[in-house]
Amino acid sequence: ANSDVWINGFHLGKRPNGYASFEYELTGHLNFGGKKNVIAVRADNTIQPASRYYTGAGIYRHVRMSITNPVHVAHWENFVTATNVTVAKATITVQTKIMNQFATAQNVLMQINIISPDGKIVGKTEVKKKLDGNATQTITQNITVDNPALWDVEHPQLYTAVTKIVADKKLIDEVTTLFGIREIKFDASTGFSLNGKQVKIKGVCLHHDAGALGAAVPLQAWVRRLQILKELGVNGIRTSHNAVAPEFLDLCDKMGFLVMDET
């Protein structure tokens, strides 16, 4: 919590929250030609009160460096949704924000492949775009998938959307997004339904830590805990009360858990 980050003495920013993911742009602050680069991180937990669960201290989530082409899919800006879902077909909408950090306009080709749970390409589309210099542009594409394998808590089948950015016949960026095709509804008289079938949500409340293992939780620890909960009959999880690690949500998708994401 209360983190400050510097690169080569330049203050990139401060984040008061210790749970939500964040990123900083290093472009323009790096030393090249073999010169040393120093990233400094300060986490100050002295001003926050103690808690009835272990909040964690220091760096307890993954840290990654992302190196991109000046033209690329913006971070966290590739959204995949499924609508008009039936056993016969579903409409997959892919909304992508592309960033052009060149000063001049760029011509690109954006390709999307939808891959089924068994590894087959079941839908594709492509579009040519001219991107203004130093600007971002959002591109929305719709793809129809016939006879979709629906996601549910007993059969958590996942599709993959592969988004590619091509310039001068060269692949310059690629983003892979896992998603499930399903329809959810809440009704005052009948309750919750998933793909047209009434489902009772049997849930538990989980904090982001793993007890004695602390807040930097090995992924296999979550796999084990979720497997045990599944054996108990649990099919839903309430995230209490802060943003959980992205890989935890990915596991819920893969293992068949509904999630009430409080944040």
Side-chain angles (χ1 to χ4, degrees):
N2 303 307
S3 67
D4 288 275
V5 183
W6 293 262
I7 175 70
N8 297 327
F10 178 83
H11 185 241
L12 292 167
K14 182 181 182 67
R15 294 284 295 195
N17 188 272
Y19 298 94
S21 300
F22 60 92
E23 68 163 352
Y24 291 119
E25 180 70 62
L26 304 183
T27 304
H29 307 296
L30 294 172
N31 296 322
F32 293 91
K35 295 181 180 179
K36 189 176 182 180
N37 287 281
V38 177
I39 295 177
V41 180
R42 179 177 186 266
D44 182 6
N45 288 284
T46 60
I47 63 173
Q48 66 177 357
S51 175
R52 61 186 175 84
Y53 64 96
Y54 181 59
T55 57
I59 299 174
Y60 48 81
R61 297 278 174 87
H62 289 303
V63 179
R64 298 180 176 92
M65 180 177 288
S66 178
I67 303 173
T68 68
N69 186 282
V71 177
H72 58 274
V73 176
H75 198 200
W76 298 318
E77 293 290 355
N78 197 57
F79 294 96
V80 182
T81 54
T83 56
N84 305 315
V85 177
T86 68
V87 295
K89 63 177 59 179
T91 301
I92 309 303
T93 301
V94 182
Q95 186 181 69
T96 308
K97 183 179 288 186
I98 301 179
M99 179 177 291
N100 177 18
Q101 292 181 308
F102 284 115
T104 57
Q106 301 291 313
N107 294 308
V108 301
L109 174 69
M110 190 174 87
Q111 302 172 327
I112 298 174
N113 287 339
I114 303 298
I115 302 173
S116 66
D118 59 1
K120 298 177 181 177
I121 296 178
V122 293
K124 61 173 60 176
T125 183
E126 65 179 36
V127 62
K128 294 181 179 179
K129 288 290 182 179
K130 183 176 182 179
L131 308 174
D132 293 334
N134 292 321
T136 59
Q137 184 172 343
T138 299
I139 301 172
T140 301
Q141 297 193 73
N142 295 316
I143 305 168
T144 298
V145 172
D146 294 323
N147 305 312
L150 301 183
W151 184 100
D152 62 36
V153 293
E154 296 175 352
H155 305 94
Q157 306 192 77
L158 293 175
Y159 285 75
T160 305
V162 181
T163 303
K164 298 180 179 181
I165 307 297
V166 178
D168 295 327
K169 298 183 179 180
K170 293 182 180 180
L171 179 65
I172 59 174
D173 197 16
E174 180 175 304
V175 174
T176 300
T177 307
L178 287 174
F179 67 98
I181 298 176
R182 76 283 183 272
E183 180 189 56
I184 62 173
K185 286 184 178 180
F186 285 94
D187 184 89
S189 58
T190 60
F192 174 73
S193 65
L194 179 63
N195 302 325
K197 299 178 181 178
Q198 194 176 38
V199 175
K200 296 295 184 184
I201 301 177
K202 301 171 184 178
V204 295
C205 204
L206 290 179
H207 289 295
H208 84 125
D209 68 302
L213 292 179
V217 185
L219 192 62
Q220 191 57 37
W222 277 124
V223 172
R224 178 179 177 273
R225 293 179 77 182
L226 291 176
Q227 285 174 338
I228 294 172
L229 289 172
K230 201 74 173 176
E231 292 168 3
L232 290 172
V234 172
N235 63 12
I237 292 170
R238 169 190 166 208
T239 63
S240 322
H241 305 276
N242 302 283
V244 292
E247 58 268 22
F248 173 83
L249 294 175
D250 290 340
L251 273 181
C252 290
D253 289 342
K254 294 175 183 177
M255 298 179 70
F257 288 93
L258 300 162
V259 178
M260 177 178 151
D261 196 336
E262 285 200 340
T263 307

